[in-house]
Amino acid sequence: MEDCDSRRWDELFPDALGLIFKNLSLQEILLVIPRVCKSWRKTVLGPYCWQEIDIMDWSLLRDPDSVNKMLQLLISRSSGYLSKLCISCLPNDSSLSLIAEHGKALHTLRVPRSEITNSIVEQVAERLSAVTFLDLSFCKNIGAPALEAIGKHCANLTGLRRVMCPFEAIDRSSQDDEALAVASTMHKLKQLEIAYLLINTESVLKILENCPELEYLDVQGCWNVILDEKFKKFSKVKLVGPLEEFSETIRWDGCSDSSGYLTWDFVVDEIDDQFQMLEFWGEDYRSVDDEEHSFEEHVYPDWLDGSP
């Protein structure tokens, strides 16, 4: 008990602190931890907390400008060590370009609902070659060219999520070209979710024939797919058919219900008012001369305490 009481938490190595801090909320890491002590502040400003970034819920509720600024802030802190990124609603192609520029170690990339185009995906796919799981759900401005580029350059891709909202696909006659792009380039896939794509039976069979390692295939809402005797030879694949009930995952990530994100309201309320200052806060800390200025003076700015 005595050892526990005398433990110097401020003397832990940054990588150990990073493992601890990653269990905290975004709000706590950005707005609370830096106020505790110098070593914790330096850890938060470095890559130790940002090798895995998940701001999916936060970004879903934010305006494009805030999403872009937060992305820039956290990616700069990751210092090239980013291995996992989950963010919703990328506002433009430059956001994906920024990710690719710092994504040489990226293995998991989830960017649903993003305003990205085929051309940018084709440009940056080679720099995302380490990605093994990719989520491009509800990205309505991309199609077969983007998927083909990913398949050609991401040779170790084992998971793809390309779920669509039925209302966004209503003006398309077919998305069979997307299914065929998957079948022709993504031969190592083990998990594939393509719910509500406008595809037919033959396209799904092509995927099953050309992706021999496939273990899970979700074609919910693909009404033109008929699961007949042709599918019997693929019995080892767990196949979720067109008439299966809407899953909880689809509801949360789809267009019918966003209640799963309401638990992040406290982050939105706290960070929104302080976001602009947070950008410069990190830079100011790096320029502080601890010999001439007291730590408390800089680490407890008035705006964090709610002072007028």
Side-chain angles (χ1 to χ4, degrees):
M1 190 69 180
E2 212 173 304
D3 290 340
C4 183
D5 291 339
S6 62
R7 181 175 296 164
R8 296 296 302 270
W9 291 96
D10 59 334
E11 294 180 357
L12 286 176
F13 289 116
D15 52 349
L17 288 171
L19 290 173
I20 297 170
F21 294 162
K22 69 186 292 186
N23 296 305
L24 303 176
S25 70
L26 179 66
Q27 179 200 36
E28 290 170 319
I29 296 176
L30 290 179
L31 302 175
V32 179
I33 291 299
R35 304 171 62 186
V36 176
C37 62
K38 293 179 184 179
S39 66
W40 288 21
R41 169 171 55 87
K42 289 179 180 178
T43 298
V44 169
L45 290 176
Y48 307 101
C49 291
W50 310 112
Q51 294 174 22
E52 295 186 2
I53 299 174
D54 187 346
I55 54 172
M56 185 76 75
D57 298 344
W58 180 87
S59 56
L60 182 72
L61 297 170
R62 304 290 20 97
D63 62 88
D65 189 49
S66 294
V67 170
N68 203 41
K69 287 179 179 177
M70 182 65 83
L71 178 66
Q72 292 176 21
L73 175 70
L74 300 187
I75 279 189
S76 68
R77 292 188 181 185
S78 70
S79 304
Y81 293 100
L82 186 62
S83 64
K84 177 180 179 179
L85 175 62
C86 304
I87 181 172
S88 184
C89 307
L90 293 180
N92 49 47
D93 283 350
S94 62
S95 299
L96 185 63
S97 182
L98 175 67
I99 293 170
E101 186 179 340
H102 299 270
K104 63 180 180 181
L106 201 57
H107 293 291
T108 297
L109 178 60
R110 298 189 62 199
V111 288
R113 289 189 186 81
S114 294
E115 297 295 326
I116 55 177
T117 62
N118 285 320
S119 60
I120 191 62
V121 176
E122 290 174 306
Q123 289 175 39
V124 305
E126 188 173 3
R127 285 182 279 168
L128 298 172
S129 59
V131 170
T132 58
F133 182 85
L134 179 64
D135 186 352
L136 295 172
S137 298
F138 315 113
C139 297
K140 59 183 184 296
N141 298 327
I142 63 170
L147 296 180
E148 187 173 349
I150 290 294
K152 286 180 177 178
H153 293 289
C154 303
N156 296 314
L157 191 70
T158 58
L160 174 67
R161 194 162 191 264
R162 175 68 174 145
V163 176
M164 295 298 292
C165 176
F167 301 110
E168 292 178 349
I170 201 167
D171 59 338
R172 304 191 186 191
S173 58
S174 169
Q175 290 172 297
D176 286 306
D177 57 343
E178 292 194 27
L180 295 177
V182 170
S184 62
T185 63
M186 303 182 187
H187 306 301
K188 290 187 178 181
L189 279 182
K190 293 183 178 180
Q191 176 185 344
L192 176 61
E193 299 176 57
I194 48 175
Y196 288 88
L197 250 61
L198 297 174
I199 56 177
N200 60 33
T201 305
E202 292 306 313
S203 296
V204 176
L205 287 170
K206 281 283 186 185
I207 291 173
L208 289 167
E209 290 167 0
N210 288 278
C211 302
E213 298 180 33
L214 202 61
E215 299 172 357
Y216 178 85
L217 175 58
D218 184 351
V219 292
Q220 293 182 77
C222 301
W223 310 120
N224 294 327
V225 176
I226 301 172
L227 301 181
D228 53 23
E229 66 279 354
K230 296 176 184 176
F231 288 84
K232 288 183 178 179
K233 62 180 178 178
F234 304 107
S235 57
K236 69 170 188 174
V237 180
K238 182 178 180 181
L239 184 61
V240 181
L243 299 179
E244 295 285 345
E245 187 177 335
F246 218 33
S247 74
E248 188 69 18
T249 304
I250 301 295
R251 278 203 300 272
W252 277 24
D253 288 349
C255 55
S256 60
D257 182 9
S258 60
S259 60
Y261 298 103
L262 297 182
T263 55
W264 277 74
D265 283 348
F266 72 94
V267 176
V268 174
D269 294 339
E270 181 92 19
I271 292 181
D272 262 6
D273 295 337
Q274 304 165 352
F275 188 80
Q276 298 242 346
M277 295 192 71
L278 180 61
E279 281 188 283
F280 301 102
W281 178 34
E283 296 300 325
D284 289 344
Y285 280 155
R286 279 189 281 271
S287 64
V288 168
D289 183 347
D290 289 328
E291 295 292 323
E292 299 179 8
H293 305 280
S294 71
F295 173 70
E296 288 79 8
E297 178 185 346
H298 292 274
V299 90
Y300 296 109
D302 290 342
W303 58 270
L304 273 177
D305 295 323
S307 305

